């Protein structure tokens, strides 16, 4: 390595140092502190009983049926919402990319739901489906009046629909960024060779969009795995709709059990890291190169 290269690398580290220090202060320290709290029996209702208990809190959480029920609810919401958002997001991205006129207006209208604050969107969906204030039961497609928040399946369905409505534009925006990087010459050459629209989509669009799809699905999966706002506003975990984030909130804020709550938070963090690792390794794509790779 030449002296010039060494000096440039040193300068790069110096320029990045302030941002790295800030990131460590606002992320690494809270994570480490949460891990320290998770190793203690720490209930603010009984401060005199505080003691170090090692990994006992993790054993309590992982052996609890409520934890695994909440994990299941989180996985159901995450898988269904992200899968539907990927399909709808791809369709919307194709429409926005191929719009002949009014392209700016189309993109603006599509992105409106994503610009609404999640809590506001959750309240809107709650009012729409509530039996007292909602209008959904009056729609022609709804045969009988239904208490949407009175059952487990129907409550999860409303939560999933709200998540899809709110974040599909985000998925479409990321996929659109991948679409614009594909040269039009490839499609023109495929048309000359007689390839159909479906063949062009499968053989050209999807392979070249692997990095964009990876980023979009990864970001949405990580966000959906920590779903909190919609559930908290609509049901507060009633009808067995509690997610792992709601469980951690209840332990930390409502029950003031910092030990168990911190253990749940650390487990959620570990789950997020595992999801990111599986996605990046599973797709086998070098995102930084912007093309299919090793």
């Amino acid at each position: 390595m030449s002296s010039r290269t060494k000096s440039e690398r040193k300068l790069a580290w110096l320029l990045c140092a302030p941002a790295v220090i800030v990131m460590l202060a606002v992320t690494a320290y809270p994570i480490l502190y949460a891990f320290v709290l998770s190793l203690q029996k720490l209930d603010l209702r009984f401060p005199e009983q505080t003691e170090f208990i090692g990994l006992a809190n993790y054993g309590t959480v992982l052996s609890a049926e409520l934890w695994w029920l909440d994990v299941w609810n989180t996985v159901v919401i995450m898988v269904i919402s992200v899968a539907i958002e990927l399909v709808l997001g791809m369709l919307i991205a194709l429409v926005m990319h191929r719009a002949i006129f009014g392209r700016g207006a189309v993109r603006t209208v599509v992105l409106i739901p994503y610009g609404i604050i999640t809590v506001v969107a959750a309240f809107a969906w709650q009012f729409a489906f509530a039996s007292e204030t909602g209008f959904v039961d009056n729609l022609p497609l709804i045969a009988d009046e239904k208490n949407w928040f009175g059952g487990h399946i129907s409550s999860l369905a409303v939560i999933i629909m709200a998540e899809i409505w709110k974040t599909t534009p985000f998925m479409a925006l990321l996929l659109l960024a991948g679409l614009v990087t594909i040269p039009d010459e490839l499609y023109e050459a495929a048309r000359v060779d007689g390839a159909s629209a479906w063949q062009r989509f499968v053989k050209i669009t999807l392979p070249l969009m692997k990095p964009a799809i990876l980023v979009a699905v990864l970001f949405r999966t990580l966000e959906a795995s920590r779903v909190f706002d919609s559930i908290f506003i609509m049901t507060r975990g009633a009808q067995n709709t509690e997610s792992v984030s709601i469980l951690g909130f209840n332990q930390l804020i409502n029950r003031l059990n910092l030990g168990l709550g911190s253990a749940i938070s650390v487990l959620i963090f570990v789950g997020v890291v595992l999801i990111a690792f599986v996605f990046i390794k599973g797709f086998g794509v070098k995102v930084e190169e912007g093309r299919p790779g090793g």
Side-chain angles (χ1 to χ4, degrees):
M1 185 181 299
S2 64
S3 58
R4 178 181 177 84
T5 302
K6 291 181 179 179
S7 61
E8 290 179 350
R9 179 165 296 185
K10 182 179 179 180
L11 176 62
W13 277 107
L14 291 176
L15 293 175
C16 294
V20 172
I21 293 173
V22 172
M23 289 295 296
L24 290 176
V26 300
T27 58
Y29 174 75
I31 292 172
L32 292 175
Y33 188 59
F35 178 71
V36 172
L37 292 178
S38 69
L39 302 178
Q40 304 177 47
K41 180 182 179 182
L42 181 55
D43 193 327
L44 294 183
R45 296 169 298 175
F46 312 102
E48 68 281 355
Q49 299 179 7
T50 300
E51 60 178 324
F52 178 82
I53 57 175
L55 300 177
N57 283 328
Y58 293 95
T60 301
V61 173
L62 295 176
S63 61
E65 182 179 353
L66 179 60
W67 163 258
W68 295 109
L69 176 62
D70 293 349
V71 169
W72 172 251
N73 289 336
T74 304
V75 170
V76 169
I77 295 173
M78 178 181 66
V79 172
I80 296 178
S81 62
V82 173
I84 297 176
E85 288 169 17
L86 177 60
V87 176
L88 295 179
M90 180 64 75
L91 294 175
I92 294 173
L94 290 171
V95 171
M96 290 191 294
H97 183 58
R98 297 299 179 184
I100 299 176
F101 58 89
R103 182 175 297 183
V106 171
R107 294 181 179 182
T108 302
V109 171
V110 167
L111 293 175
I112 286 177
Y114 186 64
I116 299 175
I117 299 173
T118 305
V119 173
V120 176
F123 270 119
W125 279 80
Q126 182 192 43
F127 290 144
F129 283 86
S131 56
E132 302 85 5
T133 61
F135 62 86
V136 174
D137 287 336
N138 298 325
L139 296 176
L141 297 177
I142 307 298
D144 301 319
E145 185 174 342
K146 181 179 179 61
N147 182 10
W148 291 91
F149 296 109
H152 174 66
I153 301 299
S154 58
S155 297
L156 282 181
V158 177
I159 292 171
I160 291 172
M161 286 188 290
E163 286 289 306
I164 293 172
W165 178 84
K166 175 69 173 65
T167 53
T168 294
F170 174 74
M171 181 79 76
L173 189 63
L174 293 178
L175 295 177
L176 177 63
L179 277 174
V180 298
T181 62
I182 302 177
D184 291 334
E185 292 79 6
L186 295 177
Y187 293 109
E188 295 174 1
R191 290 191 192 97
V192 172
D193 292 338
S196 63
W198 175 251
Q199 289 174 328
R200 294 195 298 270
F201 178 75
V202 174
K203 300 296 185 180
I204 298 176
T205 304
L206 285 182
L208 295 179
M209 283 190 63
K210 277 186 178 182
I213 293 174
L214 170 63
V215 172
V217 175
L218 176 59
F219 281 7
R220 270 302 299 139
T221 302
L222 295 179
E223 185 178 359
S225 66
R226 298 176 287 108
V227 59
F228 177 86
D229 309 63
S230 299
I231 299 176
F232 184 80
I233 296 299
M234 295 186 195
T235 65
R236 290 185 179 268
Q239 306 299 335
N240 292 327
T241 58
E242 191 176 79
S243 66
V244 290
S245 295
I246 295 290
L247 177 62
F249 172 84
N250 288 334
Q251 291 293 333
L252 286 169
I253 306 301
N254 294 336
R255 300 182 180 91
L256 301 178
N257 194 327
L258 300 187
L260 283 177
S262 298
I264 294 172
S265 300
V266 173
L267 289 174
I268 294 174
F269 171 75
V270 172
V272 168
V273 173
L274 289 177
I275 290 173
F277 178 81
V278 170
F279 263 81
I280 294 175
K281 291 297 182 181
F283 265 78
V285 175
K286 294 183 178 180
V287 179
E288 66 276 8
E289 293 184 7
R291 60 175 177 80

